[in-house]
Amino acid sequence: MTLNKKQIQHLKGVAHPLKPVVLLGNNGLTEAVVAEIDYALSHHELIKVKIPTDDRETKTLIIDAICRETKATKIQEIGKTLVIYRQSDEKKIRIPKL
């Protein structure tokens, strides 16, 4: 899904008060974690994921893998927190048009 700047700004505002739903553990990105992120996206559409690593390259690889595996759109990355969005069939979050 392609979002323009206005839509991304809107989603950032919606995501601001949210707490991280999924926390990656010591084992990193496992199939179980991907399944949990997928389930959370189906249920919430917009979620935060906590990625506990200081290595930028590792974090970038993890973020790319999460977005690829879950078919989600990266909205924002602040420190160790990732905000991703994937529209569900119910369209719970209303996104402004162009």
Side-chain angles (χ1 to χ4, degrees):
M1 174 178 228
T2 306
L3 300 169
N4 63 30
K5 286 187 185 241
K6 183 178 178 183
Q7 292 168 327
I8 290 174
Q9 285 301 115
H10 173 74
L11 289 172
K12 284 180 184 179
V14 173
H16 182 72
L18 299 178
K19 300 279 184 227
V21 176
V22 179
L23 306 170
L24 267 67
N26 292 336
N27 295 334
L29 189 63
T30 62
E31 287 183 28
V33 173
V34 172
E36 188 64 31
I37 292 170
D38 192 51
Y39 175 77
L41 281 169
S42 298
H43 192 262
H44 299 288
E45 290 188 337
L46 184 70
I47 65 167
K48 286 185 177 178
V49 179
K50 195 79 159 184
I51 304 170
T53 181
D54 293 325
D55 184 29
R56 286 186 173 188
E57 289 180 26
T58 304
K59 187 167 51 171
T60 302
L61 290 172
I62 291 171
I63 290 170
D64 291 343
I66 289 171
C67 292
R68 183 181 60 247
E69 295 294 321
T70 61
K71 296 176 179 58
T73 304
K74 175 181 150 187
I75 300 300
Q76 189 175 31
E77 174 189 342
I78 298 177
K80 297 180 180 184
T81 305
L82 169 67
V83 180
I84 54 176
Y85 172 77
R86 183 180 72 198
Q87 193 172 47
S88 69
D89 296 334
E90 293 115 37
K91 297 182 180 173
K92 297 173 185 173
I93 299 174
R94 296 189 53 86
I95 298 178
K97 300 290 180 209
L98 301 171

